[in-house]
Structures are given as structure tokens and as C-alpha cells.
Amino acid sequence: MWDLAQCDRRRCTGRRLARKGLVRTLRLGQRFGGLVLSPLAARWVSPADRQVVAQNGVAVIDCSWAKLDETPFNKMRGSHPRQLPYLVAANPVNYGRPYKLSCVEAFAATFCIAGFSDIATTLLKKFKWGMVFLDLNRDLLEKYAACSCEEEVLSVEREFLATTPEEDEIDPFDVDSGKDFCNLNRPARGMITVDEDSTESSSSSSSEEQE
């Protein structure tokens, strides 16, 4: 992981994974031999990347979605740059927003698509809201993982987007919107929940992330 120190240290999922010894930090200018998840990549993650992931791993760029113009992508290079197909964020900062995944969500999505769902689950379980990411994206992740190549992944994405009506982004705090909003990270009113044991705070992503 390349850490640009652009997000809240307390909420950064990438840093939390690094503290737990699950991710190592790369220096700017240091190349990476595995998959590099970057918004500038011209290719997409697919099951065809399984061998590269197995041999060399995955790297993310831990930066803020709000500061992409300030991010030195030319100093974070690798042999296999990739983007992720359409998925929805579950992290508390960008909940429900497509593409704006946190570091742990990006790692997990890549491992799921490449056929390493057990690793994805291990990483996501480090966060109280982590498994919600799988709940929100289970159908798409299974379809992406069943593909054989990048072209098939993109075909699945196009088919999904073509059958999904576009909706204006909703502000969950806009009481005049006339629409109900439910964040699966929080219990519905009137429900009593038992807090599970966790080593992390209730807030905690390669973006303006909460972790």
C-alpha cells in the first residue's frame, strides 16, 4: 500500500490493516510486481488475474477521493495496473456510493473476483461494518468471479448498469427529500441490537475514508 497521508489517520482502513500486520507500506517511487489498483488504470480486475495475485499480491493507493488531482500516480507504478468494476461502498463515509471504496473494500473486492474470498472475509472482519460490503455486492461479486476474462467482467458490469435505473444521489440528512434512507451500518429505529466484540471503533478507506 502506498500511503499518501491524505485521510484521517484514525479512520484509515489501510493504516489499520498495516498496524495489524496484514498490509505493508510501499515508498513513493517503489514499484510493485502484483496488481496495482489505480483509478488511472486502463484494464479491469478479472479472474484472469488470479495467478498474478497469488504470486505477487495486490497493492492499493491510499489517498482521498477528494484529492485525486494532488496524487502523484506517476510515483506509484506496477506491472499490472487495474481498476475495479462497478461496486458499492459500505464504509461509513461513502456508504451506498458506487466506486468510492475504501482500501479494505478494494482489497476485498479484488480477492473475491480473483477467487480468494476467504482472504477478503478475513480482511473485512477487522471492521464492524466490513461484512456489509459483501452483503451489498454479493450478486455482482459472484458474477464477476464466475467470468473468465476482463471482457466478460465488463459485459456483466454493462448488463447490470443497463438494467439499473439511474437515481439522483440522495442526501440521507435531507428531511425534505421524501425518500427513506437506510444505512446497514446502523440499526433501524426501535430495534435493539447487541454490539459484537470488535477491536475497532465504529468509524473507520483509498479515499476520504472512514475506517
Side-chain angles (χ1 to χ4, degrees):
M1 174 186 77
W2 287 281
D3 183 3
L4 279 296
Q6 294 177 347
C7 56
D8 188 331
R9 296 175 63 92
R10 298 167 300 173
R11 298 179 175 183
C12 178
T13 58
R15 290 188 180 188
R16 176 169 292 178
L17 293 176
R19 289 197 300 270
K20 293 178 179 295
L22 297 170
V23 170
R24 64 184 176 89
T25 302
L26 301 170
R27 303 183 307 276
L28 285 180
Q30 182 177 352
R31 289 184 64 86
F32 182 73
L35 254 59
V36 175
L37 300 180
S38 168
L40 301 186
R43 297 189 61 186
W44 276 256
V45 175
S46 80
D49 294 313
R50 180 180 174 85
Q51 185 173 357
V52 174
V53 173
Q55 292 181 345
N56 298 303
V58 181
V60 300
I61 298 172
D62 188 359
C63 62
S64 168
W65 286 107
K67 297 181 180 180
L68 292 182
D69 291 342
E70 304 172 21
T71 302
F73 290 103
N74 62 321
K75 295 183 179 180
M76 297 171 287
R77 296 179 177 177
S79 305
H80 308 279
R82 295 288 189 272
Q83 288 196 48
L84 283 164
Y86 182 97
L87 292 164
V88 175
N91 67 79
V93 168
N94 288 307
Y95 180 88
R97 295 180 180 177
Y99 302 109
K100 292 194 174 183
L101 309 186
S102 66
C103 287
V104 68
E105 290 170 314
F107 275 127
T110 302
F111 284 124
C112 282
I113 294 171
F116 301 99
S117 58
D118 54 336
I119 299 178
T121 299
T122 296
L123 297 179
L124 290 169
K125 282 186 174 179
K126 302 300 179 183
F127 303 85
K128 285 185 176 180
W129 50 265
M131 297 304 291
V132 176
F133 176 73
L134 294 184
D135 294 338
L136 291 178
N137 296 284
R138 191 174 307 280
D139 288 346
L140 270 178
L141 285 171
E142 289 178 354
K143 289 180 179 179
Y144 292 148
C147 295
S148 61
C149 61
E150 177 183 6
E151 289 73 21
E152 290 184 6
V153 167
L154 293 178
S155 178
V156 168
E157 180 187 53
R158 285 193 298 269
E159 181 179 351
F160 174 80
L161 293 177
T163 58
T164 302
E166 289 189 19
E167 295 184 1
D168 294 332
E169 189 168 302
I170 300 173
D171 181 352
F173 300 103
D174 181 3
V175 296
D176 297 320
S177 67
K179 297 184 179 182
D180 294 329
F181 180 87
C182 178
N183 186 333
L184 297 182
N185 292 311
R186 300 181 175 85
R189 286 183 185 176
M191 290 184 64
I192 299 176
T193 62
V194 178
D195 201 12
E196 297 180 356
D197 291 338
S198 173
T199 58
E200 61 184 16
S201 64
S202 59
S203 58
S204 340
S205 160
S206 89
S207 80
E208 239 175 341
E209 40 187 1
Q210 152 124 12
E211 310 177 55

